[in-house]
Amino acid sequence: MMAKIVLQAVTQDHLDAGIAIHCDPETNRFNPFGAPTPERFELALRDWVAHWEAHGFGYWAVSLVQEPQHVVGFGGVMDTTIGTQMGLNLYFRLSPTAWGKGIGSAIADAGLHKAFVERQRDAVLGLVRPKNLPSRKTLEKAGLRMIGRTDDVPGQEQSLIYQITAQEYAQKNHP
């Protein structure tokens, strides 16, 4: 069963929730750099807000319908470069209390709808660490397939690049 979520454009008002989720070592257990500092996350949030202002879409602050004021995660699609490819990145990061409830899948579905139905984009990418099996499973459930690797963290195992094209999305959702 798909989680029922509320999606809000990220704003600076989401800073505290973002720090709580993104700077938690548990949510970064697959991140070779570890959890970001609150200052580093604040810079990322500024970029996310700027993307919304420039493009009218981007990463969302995510809450559950039954608790719309309580942010349980962040995610969506935003323009970025992955490896050598520029495109939309499908992203999600959730509070550990939100894991295993279908929230990541709901974010992925909403992000793909935004990319392909509303924005008419050609493809969506996802970047994931090889050992992050829960995120890989979520990407695969959403229809993304691994298309390559990128050496984005020197001295570490290469990250995996996943992709779904507009044609693949249309076939999956309108067979």
Side-chain angles (χ1 to χ4, degrees):
M1 181 173 168
M2 188 69 65
K4 298 202 187 288
I5 58 175
V6 176
L7 304 170
Q8 303 171 34
V10 292
T11 67
Q12 285 302 126
D13 292 340
H14 295 113
L15 179 62
D16 289 341
I19 288 172
I21 292 168
H22 287 83
C23 299
D24 179 348
E26 184 64 14
T27 69
N28 286 278
R29 64 181 166 173
F30 298 106
N31 183 346
F33 300 111
T37 63
E39 295 78 16
R40 198 167 106 213
F41 174 75
E42 186 173 6
L43 292 174
L45 182 64
R46 286 183 192 163
D47 289 343
W48 298 357
V49 171
H51 191 278
W52 268 99
E53 291 169 353
H55 303 285
F57 74 99
Y59 297 156
W60 297 295
V62 181
S63 57
L64 298 175
V65 168
Q66 61 268 33
E67 293 183 84
Q69 300 307 315
H70 177 68
V71 174
V72 297
F74 292 84
V77 290
M78 193 170 95
D79 290 300
T80 193
T81 301
I82 294 179
T84 58
Q85 296 180 280
M86 177 67 178
L88 285 181
N89 178 52
L90 175 61
Y91 172 80
F92 44 89
R93 186 171 302 266
L94 304 172
S95 167
T97 61
W99 292 351
K101 298 179 180 176
I103 298 167
S105 290
I107 294 168
D109 288 350
L112 295 177
H113 179 86
K114 175 66 74 177
F116 295 125
V117 176
E118 296 179 27
R119 293 289 167 166
Q120 303 293 307
R121 294 295 189 96
D122 294 329
V124 170
L125 302 169
L127 183 69
V128 65
R129 301 298 300 161
K131 293 181 181 170
N132 189 343
L133 298 180
S135 290
R136 291 177 64 184
K137 182 179 176 184
T138 300
L139 292 174
E140 291 165 4
K141 182 178 178 185
L144 284 81
R145 59 188 167 71
M146 191 176 71
I147 61 163
R149 296 174 179 266
T150 184
D151 194 14
D152 59 333
V153 184
Q156 297 283 325
E157 187 176 8
Q158 294 179 325
S159 290
L160 307 177
I161 302 172
Y162 279 73
Q163 178 184 46
I164 184 171
T165 65
Q167 181 179 11
E168 291 166 336
Y169 177 80
Q171 289 172 344
K172 179 179 184 283
N173 291 284
H174 304 288

